[in-house]
Amino acid sequence: MTSVLSVHAQEDTSKPTSIDPDLLAIENARIPKEYTVAGISITGIHHLDTSIVLSISSIQIGDKITIPGSDVFAKAIQNLWRQKLFSNVQIFITKVQGDNIWIEMAVTERPRLGNFKFIGTKKSEEEELQGKIGLAKQTIITENMRRNIVEVTTKYYKDKGFQNTTVRIEEKPDPTYANSNFITIYVIKGGKVRIDGVRIFGNETIEESKIKKQLKGTKEMTKLTLNPVTVSSPYGEIKKPSFKSYIKDWGFLSLSKTKEVLDPYFRFKLFASAKFDPKKYEEDKEKILKYYNARGYRDAQIVADTIFSDTTISKTKLYVDIKVNEGRKYYFGNITWKGNAKYPDSLLNAILGINKGDVYNLDVLNKRLGKELSQEGGDISGYYMDDGYLFFRVEPVETAVYNDTIDHEIRITEGPQARIKNVTISGNDRTKDHVIRRELRTIPGELFSRSDLIRSQRELANLNYFNQETINPGVVPNAEDGTVDINWKLEEKSSDQLELSAGWGGGIGLTGTLGVTFNNFSIKNIWKKSAWDPLPTGDGQKLSLRVQSNGRAFRSYNFSFTEPWLGGKKRNSFTIGYNNSKYSNSFNQYGQIDRSRSDTSYLKVNGFSVALGKQLKWPDDYFNLVYTMNFTQYKLKNYYAFQKDDGTYLDSGVSNNLSFKIALQRSSVYDPIFPRSGSNFVASVQFTPPYSLFNPDLVNSDNPYKNPEYHKWRFNAEWYVPIGKPMGADKNRQFVLKMAAKYGFMGRYNKKLDYSPFERFQVGDAGLTNNFGLLGYDIVAHRGYPVYETSDPSVNPDQQNANRFFTIFNKYQLELRYPLVTNPGSTIYGLTFFEAANGWYNFKDYNPFRLRRSVGVGMRFFLPMFGLLGFDYGIGLDRITPGGGLKNASRFTFMLGFEPE
């Protein structure tokens, strides 16, 4: 006796069909009877393990099944179907013997994906689509896979502006693989659909052009009006734009005779994309309403909008019509306060800064009240929260609307002042707690302050030990006892830097550089073996070591150590440094390497410095005062380092330069790698003892520079201003304008002595230290110009003598930056700049308006291991000569590290 139970699963079926109960009846059986499954066979399996199929079905040998009346077979079929492994599932009762039955599960495996290809796509597009769709050979082909291929591919091209894209899939057996199909994906893009025109209706008070500017993601193709001419057509004489005029004016060389002009405009794409994006279009409509609301039209509405195309002209052109209802323009009326016990109405009105008669703007009102938290502060909420009122709440309520005026009542719930209870730190795997806590202004027992919280976040970011994007001050209010817990969550990042290069030059020998900078060093654990992992770290100290060699021509050793918190209780920094360098003139008069000259013509420099910095409390605690004592010894032997006024050279002798420096600094910059706001100011004076006043005979001595004397003044100012609104998924991409000014002046105590040959200013190129840096010169970068510029004495008269350099310089800079990558592993940003700078030998020739100007573009790459790398292309505007073009007026420059102050 044989009975059959079966279900046929089709590819377009989302779930199995219902089972006819009659199929479960065993022949001549009418009364339910319990049977035991004595055997199970599985057929149709080619790739799967039969034991897995048996397990999924949930039917095992020995199971008891009542026939008719049991739904065991139906559930088994449903279990197998849900796995999406089979296109057909059937269950047969193949044998009945007494109370035992034998069943067969017959399945048809879905085909697997063999090879596949795209038709109608570019190779680069095909690679992107593979990644987006996630096609992988030998995965099971399901209806979801087919649907996903069509949807993802269609969306991919629609996002590129191909709104009429169609996708078709074709399958056929693939002989390369068993039970596999070869899938061919046919893509017909159609033409790229662009917005040919946007029209605004219903705008009575605001110009259409201003409304269109709010459509950031829905741009129409730019229209260029051309000179109309009268031409003949089948419909008579009509006026069309003169393409001859267009060619002449814009430099086009030829024009296709088949070009047709359909309207009095020639449309072209310039920078902004004119493709249509439905998602951006919806966002743009909201921007239009916000724009109206910001100008007092709080009832403004978009009552209708239409997107259409004229297929009689082109299927690739879209037109957008938007109809607005502006409504009435409103103004602020009376503003009253309720619930404010801490501060009087007059003070709150002054902070709010909104007066009766001002144009109504709800966004401005909410911002001034502090309903949207910002780091800038200056709002009502910030004023309260800086005094501990963490539970402060404010709600503006419209109390009256009459004519075009709206009265408001600002309802305040001050709540109790909250004190900080617990401050915890997590995520600092290397940096010790005390290094972090000394930067925090959130101290247990103190009143909560939002500005202190923001300042603490800034200080932690400036340590450069942690990922600035993930520094999170988890604020947990405890309303029961009026306290607040602050749980700082940090993510360590690498802050150490390595500089390594090596080479071999014929006649020169080994050349190379080895430099390491440990920015989170721990000197007290240097003798603890267990702390070397791989180096003792965590105490926030900075240790820098550098060795550089250029064979016999040059070698240099540098060492510095900084303790930012001397004594551990106050922000008093202590720095010591040592450098030893030798620069040899290893070339003879023919430009050939002469090793013997390395010991007969050289400049040796030994320097030692000690600096002590102190954080000030007045005018504010962004100020620091730094005292530095520096001693440098210069040994010259047949080294023509400097030309004096009488034409002779300072070429041999020993000079001991003892100087003192006082620098007043203020820095409010957040994230020093890519500052988005804040400023830096440095004013300094460096001076030596006035030796000639103590010893008048020094003027006539053989070596008046044995103890050089001078006083040098510097002033640097930098401002960082964010432009526009943050962009990107993480809202950290924003244009930033850097404005900078630098001044330098070197003076002398005795006019009978020439200016000191040391500590002068060098202007030009990328600002990298060169052999003149060994003489203590301040290297001032000026992109687009070399260090020596003698071609135009009218622009820079004192550069005619390259060995005299400057005692005065000015520099001004504008730089527009945009971040491309901002993460702990790297920071990359592009920039464009305008600079103007110059230097003068003495004050008599000083002319602050005679500056060398340059413009250009550049890139910056910050890698934690190697520091900041920069590449710039600058054009010296004052180096351009008639007929010379840009070739002789432009320069590529490379920079390493931050520009020196």
Side-chain angles (χ1 to χ4, degrees), residues 457-490:
Q457 191 171 3
R458 170 190 175 273
E459 298 297 342
L460 291 177
N462 286 346
L463 287 175
N464 205 26
Y465 304 156
F466 311 105
N467 179 7
Q468 290 93 336
E469 305 296 334
T470 59
I471 296 177
N472 180 22
V475 178
V476 182
N478 304 311
E480 297 79 9
D481 58 1
T483 63
V484 57
D485 293 337
I486 300 177
N487 305 314
W488 290 95
K489 294 182 180 179
L490 308 173

Side-chain angles (χ1 to χ4, degrees), residues 424-464:
T424 62
I425 301 170
S426 62
N428 52 319
D429 302 326
R430 295 189 297 271
T431 306
K432 298 176 182 177
D433 279 6
H434 77 272
V435 174
I436 299 171
R437 290 189 181 276
R438 69 192 185 190
E439 303 291 341
L440 299 180
R441 303 188 175 222
T442 54
I443 302 172
E446 297 288 336
L447 285 174
F448 174 84
S449 170
R450 191 179 75 173
S451 61
D452 285 347
L453 193 73
I454 295 173
R455 180 67 182 276
S456 298
Q457 191 171 3
R458 170 190 175 273
E459 298 297 342
L460 291 177
N462 286 346
L463 287 175
N464 205 26

Side-chain angles (χ1 to χ4, degrees), residues 118 121 124-135 152-154 156-157 187:
F118 290 83
T121 62
S124 59
E125 295 172 342
E126 182 178 335
E127 293 174 352
E128 287 187 48
L129 284 170
Q130 287 184 30
K132 290 178 178 291
I133 298 173
L135 292 177
V152 171
T153 305
T154 302
Y156 174 79
Y157 283 106
V187 179

Side-chain angles (χ1 to χ4, degrees), residues 704-761:
Y705 305 113
K706 180 178 181 181
N707 294 297
E709 60 178 35
Y710 58 88
H711 50 93
K712 184 165 71 172
W713 304 78
R714 288 290 307 269
F715 176 76
N716 298 337
E718 295 176 345
W719 295 268
Y720 298 91
V721 181
I723 305 295
K725 295 183 179 180
M727 296 176 285
D730 49 4
K731 298 297 182 183
N732 65 351
R733 295 188 178 183
Q734 185 176 19
F735 283 100
V736 176
L737 179 65
K738 174 187 176 182
M739 300 176 288
K742 294 186 177 184
Y743 304 94
F745 169 73
M746 171 185 277
R748 51 186 174 179
Y749 300 112
N750 193 329
K751 293 185 178 180
K752 295 181 180 180
L753 274 176
D754 194 7
Y755 291 98
S756 168
F758 309 104
E759 302 288 346
R760 294 194 178 195
F761 306 112

Side-chain angles (χ1 to χ4, degrees), residues 231-417:
V231 297
S232 298
S233 74
Y235 308 101
E237 292 186 347
I238 60 174
K239 287 188 175 182
K240 292 185 178 182
S242 169
F243 271 84
K244 291 182 179 179
S245 171
Y246 179 74
I247 296 168
K248 179 180 177 182
D249 295 341
W250 289 81
F252 286 86
L253 299 178
S254 63
L255 177 66
S256 171
K257 294 181 180 180
T258 62
K259 179 70 179 182
E260 294 291 339
V261 182
L262 300 176
D263 55 36
Y265 299 104
F266 178 68
R267 301 167 189 263
F268 63 98
K269 181 182 177 184
L270 180 64
F271 301 120
S273 173
K275 67 183 181 182
F276 180 76
D277 186 322
K279 182 179 179 181
K280 290 183 179 179
Y281 176 61
E282 294 299 323
E283 295 174 353
D284 285 343
K285 288 194 293 183
E286 292 296 325
K287 290 177 182 177
I288 290 177
L289 295 179
K290 286 185 178 180
Y291 180 76
Y292 267 103
N293 293 340
R295 277 145 186 81
Y297 298 91
R298 72 162 192 168
D299 298 331
Q301 294 178 319
I302 295 178
V303 295
D305 65 292
T306 305
I307 303 165
F308 63 96
S309 61
D310 189 346
T311 56
T312 62
I313 298 177
S314 173
K315 293 182 179 180
T316 62
K317 291 184 179 180
L318 280 181
Y319 301 90
V320 179
D321 287 351
I322 300 175
K323 185 177 181 180
V324 299
N325 181 7
E326 293 180 337
R328 172 177 286 180
K329 186 173 184 178
Y330 290 91
Y331 300 86
F332 282 108
N334 297 313
I335 298 178
T336 58
W337 301 85
K338 183 179 181 181
N340 53 310
K342 175 70 175 179
Y343 301 112
D345 292 1
S346 58
L347 177 61
L348 296 179
N349 282 326
I351 299 173
L352 186 65
I354 296 177
N355 300 314
K356 184 177 182 179
D358 289 351
V359 174
Y360 176 81
N361 188 334
L362 184 59
D363 288 340
V364 170
L365 178 62
N366 288 333
K367 185 177 180 180
R368 301 277 178 86
L369 291 176
K371 293 182 69 65
E372 298 176 1
L373 295 180
S374 65
Q375 291 196 353
E376 289 80 8
D379 50 63
I380 300 295
S381 293
Y383 202 75
Y384 269 94
M385 288 190 179
D386 284 346
D387 198 24
Y389 290 91
L390 176 62
F391 306 101
F392 170 84
R393 297 292 180 269
V394 60
E395 194 66 37
V397 178
E398 295 182 2
T399 56
V401 179
Y402 48 96
N403 296 326
D404 60 355
T405 304
I406 303 175
D407 291 344
H408 284 83
E409 181 180 79
I410 311 299
R411 297 175 182 175
I412 291 177
T413 303
E414 294 180 341
Q417 287 179 300

Side-chain angles (χ1 to χ4, degrees), residues 186-257:
Y186 294 92
V187 179
I188 302 175
K189 303 178 187 176
K192 182 173 283 190
V193 178
R194 299 190 186 280
I195 302 172
D196 197 51
V198 176
R199 296 184 298 179
I200 308 296
F201 299 91
N203 55 311
E204 298 177 357
T205 58
I206 296 182
E207 298 175 5
E208 182 182 50
S209 59
K210 293 182 178 180
I211 299 175
K212 286 184 178 181
K213 287 182 180 180
Q214 311 312 311
L215 303 175
K216 305 298 184 183
T218 310
K219 297 289 187 181
E220 62 183 346
M221 295 180 69
T222 306
K223 300 176 182 179
L224 177 66
T225 304
L226 305 179
N227 299 328
V229 295
T230 302
V231 297
S232 298
S233 74
Y235 308 101
E237 292 186 347
I238 60 174
K239 287 188 175 182
K240 292 185 178 182
S242 169
F243 271 84
K244 291 182 179 179
S245 171
Y246 179 74
I247 296 168
K248 179 180 177 182
D249 295 341
W250 289 81
F252 286 86
L253 299 178
S254 63
L255 177 66
S256 171
K257 294 181 180 180

